[in-house]
Amino acid sequence: MDTKKAGFNSKLIHAGGIEDPMGSAVTPIYQTSTFRFKNADHGARCFSGEEKGYIYTRLGNPTIDDLQNTLAELENGYAAVVTASGMAAVNNVYLAFLGAGDHMVSHNSVYGPSRGVMEKLYPKLGVESTYVDCTHLENIEKAIRPNTKLLYLETPANPTMGITDIAGAAAIAHKHNVLVCVDNTFCSPYIQKPLDLGADIVLHSMTKFINGHADIVGGCVVAKTKELFGEIAYVMKNVGFNMDPHQAWLTRRGLKTLSVRIERAQANAKKIAEFLENHPKIDWVLYPGLKSHPQYELAKKQMAGPGAMMSFGVKGGLVAGKTVMDNVHLALLAVSLGGIETLIQHPASMTHSKLSKEEREEAGITDGLVRLSVGIEDVDDIIADLDHALSLV
Ligand SMILES: *Cc1c(COP(=O)(O)O)cnc(C)c1O
């Protein structure tokens, strides 16, 4: 079915555009490394691009195409690549658009390894970077230099829930001929479509909401234009960031329920955020769906909903936060996010432990900050679990 004009939920189920010759309702797992040519001329036509035929799985595979085509439609992009992990997607973008003498501007509390790898490996390639609080647009403008090539955003940011105005940031970047990439992992295209807001590239850790079942690691990059896609696809194919067909199939299956999963998790999250905000042992809650979020209005403007991620501070700082994490039974004490199960974690000692204490504080990641990824369990059970753990503080 041609889903180009269909609604988002119909795309989730039917997009992909791969027709199976056997008539299978679901695109099968083409678990093969290579494809047989009909004859030498056919092989030559596939290589020259004269004919769209499959050659070798690192370069293309029907199961992988099914997922890539779907993601491009969901994000309103030109085309997508899928990668072995979210970090492969991040590095795919860095390598495609940054080289010796180039500079990148990014948000100070982006996903830990997205900053870590930029500051550790990329200086070896002659790439410089500046991390600022991008939730204040004037910081972006100040950080841009004549050699800045990429503005790399993540919004809402991990784990501070800081929101960057994508349209505003893109307008500043484009004035200086700087490309804009948004890590849309926290939202998924169901909640936020960065390309529609002015970004040039969007990426995901599909390990999170897109697959949604905590059973694969994967990533994707979606480009707005053919030219950008060409640069991205070259890196994916030749650096070898590609995804395995079985991983792609599982992800495509998980993706079908994205809307229903997020609707449920988000409804749970709204109730949990209100419960926490009114709890006497809680200092503060940061959730884009609460009026107390400093960027509540901006969140409402650029996101279709507040999502299922929040962070909070327990009165008594780290010790109290640890008591909560050690006494939940339904929520899993685990990193990652966006799955059907509720996860709780402590960024200062876990996901953001590679940053120095000063860098963490500058980014708003205090020692007492606890991050919650709300799942699709019964909300009363999640609240009872948190309430019990808080009662021991
Ligand atoms: C998890 C995550 C990544 C990295 O993805 P992996 O699949 O773990 O490699 C990148 N960005 C964000 C926001 C993430 O949450």
Side-chain angles (χ1 to χ4, degrees), residues 79-107:
V81 300
V82 293
T83 54
S85 68
M87 282 316 299
V90 173
N91 282 290
N92 199 324
V93 169
Y94 290 170
L95 286 173
F97 301 108
L98 297 167
D102 292 342
H103 175 249
M104 180 183 95
V105 175
S106 184
H107 181 62

Side-chain angles (χ1 to χ4, degrees), residues 84-88 90 111 114 152 154 158 183 185-186 203-208 217-219 336-337 371:
S85 68
M87 282 316 299
V90 173
Y111 183 71
S114 300
Y152 182 90
E154 187 183 311
N158 182 13
D183 180 337
T185 300
F186 262 44
L203 67 82
H204 286 272
S205 166
M206 300 201 294
T207 314
K208 317 297 168 52
V217 169
S336 196
L337 60 103
R371 192 188 77 181

